[in-house]
Amino acid sequence: QAQLVESGGGLVQPGGSLRLSCVVSGALFMIYDMAWYRQSPGNQQRELVATINSDGNTDYIEFVKGRFTISRDNAKKTLYLEMNSLKPEDTAVYYCNGRGARTGAPTFAPWGQGTQVTVSS
């Protein structure tokens, strides 16, 4: 059973930066497409934010394009999300998970605990 451990969140002012990490254990990390999701206050569903496939190709939702960068280190079994020019609307709990190549469904269960990102002055 895979285990997902996210870290790197915190309180940051608008315009600031954070780097999130997600360590994946119990799975052959390198073969999986991976993604970052977030759950904003008051929302019951997680929103897909960024994806990176096993070949390193990336994609982003429109709102974060040019500000966020997803990357992976297969040797360390770690997924990253570099977040710059943060906005209050980016406030959320951020989670990582695999992403099914054909279905787009999250791959691993259970989810990790997530890491809280709060953007506020």
Side-chain angles (χ1 to χ4, degrees):
Q1 181 177 350
Q3 185 176 15
L4 312 170
V5 180
E6 300 93 344
S7 63
L11 173 63
V12 64
Q13 292 187 342
S17 299
L18 285 172
R19 188 193 196 202
L20 308 184
S21 300
C22 170
V23 178
V24 180
S25 59
L28 191 57
F29 177 76
M30 65 185 296
I31 70 171
Y32 290 100
D33 297 351
M34 296 295 298
W36 283 98
Y37 302 79
R38 67 186 181 187
Q39 188 169 6
S40 303
N43 288 340
Q44 293 193 347
Q45 289 193 335
R46 294 183 181 95
E47 171 190 33
L48 179 67
V49 176
T51 63
I52 183 167
N53 69 10
S54 57
D55 293 329
N57 298 309
T58 61
D59 198 10
Y60 304 88
I61 60 170
E62 195 64 34
F63 187 71
V64 307
K65 279 184 179 178
R67 300 190 296 121
F68 290 11
T69 303
I70 187 172
S71 61
R72 63 193 298 162
D73 185 331
N74 289 335
K76 295 182 178 180
K77 294 188 173 183
T78 302
L79 183 72
Y80 300 101
L81 187 67
E82 185 78 34
M83 305 187 296
N84 298 311
S85 302
L86 281 161
K87 304 178 181 183
E89 298 91 332
D90 295 315
T91 295
V93 180
Y94 285 72
Y95 302 86
C96 72
N97 207 317
R99 179 170 168 78
R102 283 176 290 183
T103 66
T107 305
F108 303 118
W111 292 74
Q113 83 288 348
T115 186
Q116 175 71 50
V117 172
T118 303
V119 185
S120 175
S121 55

